[in-house]
Amino acid sequence: MRKFHKAALVLLLGASALIAEEKARSLQFGKGDVGKVPAGWKADRTGQGEGSDWKVVADATAPSKTGFALAQTASSPGSMFNLCVADDTNFKDVEASVAFKAVKGEKDQGGGIVWRYQDANNYYVARMNPLEDNFRVYKVVGGKRSKEFQNAEVKVPAGEWHTLKITMVGEHIECFLDGKKHLDVKDATITNAGKVACGPRPTPRLI
């Protein structure tokens, strides 16, 4: 029987819950994590340069109702992806959702989900960029981001919370934004189970 895993991540990223084999695990961001990368997570990056400065911050608007969210607070080069990895995850077939809010960024904004993360140079990623009005799914292999498999022109306001969800079973990837499916593709490049992460652009908040 195929195992099917779910991961729900709250970022600004806020609180997150990981569900495996119908057994829920909650990963909550709390007051004790304020100002730093929360326990069980690690900051990472694809590419060179400053950035990937993740920390838990207070946010009373976080959909998780915890009052806290995970934020990427540093500017970084456009060629760099900021990542924050849930270290003790290891999923192949997976459903993951994240609430995100684009806070700022003059040239790029956006938040999203990374899955089947092998390392900082090999993973799948789906992200929404309110500044460019597009929702895209990519793969990163050998540190090189592919051309998007698929692109949906979608308008959502920055400064507000939105929910992004992906499912991947075998080679089949589906991506949803605020409950509506926009992207549906197949790819067999990364076949091993991997970690779930948040990212990838300058200043999202996630819950």
Side-chain angles (χ1 to χ4, degrees):
M1 180 178 178
R2 171 177 288 169
K3 294 180 180 179
F4 192 78
H5 303 281
K6 294 185 178 181
L9 308 179
V10 184
L11 314 182
L12 198 266
L13 287 176
S16 64
L18 300 175
I19 304 169
E21 295 179 289
E22 301 181 359
K23 183 179 180 181
R25 291 183 292 142
S26 291
L27 302 177
Q28 297 290 328
F29 302 140
K31 188 174 182 179
D33 290 318
V34 169
K36 61 185 179 183
V37 177
W41 295 74
K42 71 172 182 180
D44 210 343
R45 70 191 71 194
T46 305
Q48 302 297 316
E50 298 295 322
S52 209
D53 185 7
W54 296 86
K55 62 186 69 174
V56 173
V57 298
D59 189 330
T61 70
S64 60
K65 308 300 183 185
T66 63
F68 299 97
L70 177 62
Q72 201 296 115
T73 60
S75 298
S76 56
S79 59
M80 197 184 89
F81 273 17
N82 305 290
L83 305 171
C84 198
V85 184
D87 237 351
D88 67 345
T89 58
N90 190 45
F91 305 138
K92 183 177 180 181
D93 292 341
V94 64
E95 177 181 300
S97 63
V98 61
F100 73 94
K101 177 167 69 173
V103 180
K104 58 182 176 178
E106 294 181 0
K107 294 184 178 180
D108 207 345
Q109 295 179 5
I113 303 172
V114 169
W115 68 101
R116 292 195 187 177
Y117 167 99
Q118 310 298 304
D119 53 41
N121 295 313
N122 298 277
Y123 53 83
Y124 290 103
V125 56
R127 70 102 178 99
M128 175 65 205
N129 187 337
L131 194 63
E132 296 179 351
D133 298 327
N134 58 49
F135 181 29
R136 292 175 173 172
V137 57
Y138 302 92
K139 62 184 173 185
V140 175
V141 178
K144 303 295 184 182
R145 188 187 70 177
S146 68
K147 180 176 174 58
E148 71 270 12
F149 297 138
Q150 212 169 62
N151 172 49
E153 299 300 321
V154 184
K155 290 183 179 291
V156 299
E160 297 181 8
W161 288 99
H162 303 280
T163 301
L164 191 158
K165 183 181 81 170
I166 66 91
T167 66
M168 186 168 188
V169 179
E171 302 174 5
H172 188 197
I173 302 169
E174 298 173 280
C175 305
F176 303 77
L177 182 66
D178 291 334
K180 181 179 179 180
K181 184 167 77 170
H182 291 276
L183 308 171
D184 191 323
V185 299
K186 290 187 176 181
D187 186 75
T189 303
I190 302 172
T191 58
N192 292 333
K195 297 177 182 180
V196 177
C198 300
R201 284 305 195 183
T203 50
R205 288 189 175 188
L206 308 168
I207 53 124

